[in-house]
Amino acid sequence: MIVFPNAKINFGLNIISKRADGFHNIESLFVPIKINDGLEFIPTKTKTAFTSSGLPIPGNHSDNLVLKAFELLQSPYNLPNLNIHLHKLIPMGAGLGGGSADAAFFITAINNYFNLNITNFEMELLAAKIGSDCAFFIQNKAAIAVGRGEILQPFSIDLSKYKICIVHPGIHVNTAWAYSAITPNSPNIPLHEMVQSPIENWKNNLINDFEKPVFSAHPIIKNIKDYFYENGAIYSSMSGSGSAVYGIFNDEIPNLTFNKNYSVFSSTF
């Protein structure tokens, strides 16, 4: 079976408070975007194997979130061993949720392939055990995320007329460091109110709290955001804790020039 996990971006990201469990309470609007990995699995009579292609995946394959998802499912649902292959196109460490998407799409694909009849709610609970934003990709629709990012409220937003350009400069931002550099605080305007206003109003009001420390440590990332605005973007932001930055345009994306070593994606929503 083959599925194509997609990335997501954050519209706004507020770090509200630190929790007793060491995580943080956040609020953000998660929106799926059309950058996709490819994920395939087939049952095997030998031991489970995981291979990958495309972008190199750092670390041990045994730490991959897809395998962690398989470990959650195999014993309770008496699954056979699998040959799993992941073709990686979504940049890692970019704030685009690629690893979480891979795990969530794997859960839904396993559910469908083996007719397990797991409900969406149950799959979201499983996904939340793997990563804070993993549950979002089960239903894979725009949603306001609160708590650690696993509590989701569906949100209706029409982005069909807009174009998006996403740039990843190849910088890895350590998420734990990014959180440590922020003093949690509630925004003056709640995020769910801000995102109901026209996108043209977002520029100075819809904030990603991670931008301040990340831009200070990596001015190149701020330069990308500034460059989008200089070239007509109606809204631009870093996604997640970075380092990918996106620009949203009303019309066609202009002819933009970036460092040849950057990963650049252009798409509709």
Side-chain angles (χ1 to χ4, degrees):
M1 185 170 189
I2 302 176
V3 292
F4 299 95
N6 58 264
K8 60 90 180 151
I9 56 171
N10 298 74
F11 284 149
L13 179 51
N14 300 321
I15 313 302
I16 304 299
S17 60
K18 187 161 185 181
R19 300 154 50 112
D21 60 8
F23 290 96
H24 289 76
N25 288 312
I26 70 161
E27 60 175 5
S28 182
L29 174 57
F30 291 173
V31 174
I33 55 172
K34 296 175 183 177
I35 305 173
N36 299 82
D37 290 339
L39 179 62
E40 180 181 22
F41 64 82
I42 57 173
T44 178
K45 293 182 179 179
T46 60
K47 67 178 182 179
T48 291
F50 178 89
T51 56
S52 67
S53 56
L55 294 174
I57 300 175
N60 297 320
H61 276 173
S62 60
D63 295 326
N64 191 276
L65 297 186
V66 173
L67 283 179
K68 292 187 181 301
F70 182 58
E71 291 169 1
L72 274 178
L73 294 169
Q74 186 176 26
S75 179
Y77 294 99
N78 194 30
L79 300 178
N81 289 337
L82 301 176
N83 283 327
I84 304 168
H85 183 80
L86 175 62
H87 184 69
K88 196 71 185 160
L89 292 177
I90 303 171
M92 289 152 284
L96 298 174
S100 295
D102 296 336
F105 271 68
F106 179 80
I107 290 171
T108 57
I110 288 288
N111 187 37
N112 292 332
Y113 186 85
F114 291 104
N115 297 312
L116 301 180
N117 296 315
I118 310 173
T119 67
N120 281 347
F121 177 72
E122 290 169 331
M123 287 192 289
E124 287 176 355
L125 292 178
L126 287 167
K129 294 179 181 180
I130 299 167
S132 295
D133 60 356
C134 197
F136 165 74
F137 293 100
I138 296 297
Q139 299 200 50
N140 201 33
K141 297 178 181 178
I144 291 179
V146 297
R148 293 187 292 114
E150 86 287 12
I151 301 171
L152 303 164
Q153 177 183 348
F155 186 83
S156 178
I157 183 169
D158 182 8
L159 300 168
S160 59
K161 70 177 183 178
Y162 299 107
K163 308 293 191 301
I164 184 170
C165 181
I166 302 156
V167 176
H168 179 239
I171 296 170
H172 178 78
V173 177
N174 182 281
T175 302
W177 167 82
Y179 271 108
S180 71
I182 289 175
T183 300
N185 187 42
S186 296
N188 293 327
I189 304 175
L191 181 136
H192 70 273
E193 293 183 11
M194 191 64 245
V195 293
Q196 292 180 53
S197 66
I199 292 181
E200 289 78 6
N201 297 344
W202 291 3
K203 181 177 180 180
N204 297 313
N205 298 300
L206 189 62
I207 306 299
N208 179 340
D209 284 345
F210 284 120
E211 286 189 351
K212 185 175 180 179
V214 171
F215 286 177
S216 179
H218 304 284
I220 288 173
I221 303 175
K222 181 180 185 299
N223 291 344
I224 297 171
K225 178 177 178 177
D226 292 342
Y227 184 65
F228 276 135
Y229 277 129
E230 290 164 6
N231 284 274
I234 58 172
Y235 182 68
S236 180
S237 177
M238 188 174 73
S239 187
S241 58
S243 60
V245 179
Y246 61 85
I248 297 175
F249 296 84
N250 260 322
D251 302 307
E252 292 302 315
I253 297 169
N255 187 18
L256 303 173
T257 302
F258 295 101
N259 185 303
K260 66 179 182 180
N261 294 318
Y262 292 0
S263 298
V264 182
F265 307 88
S266 298
S267 179
T268 55
F269 284 93

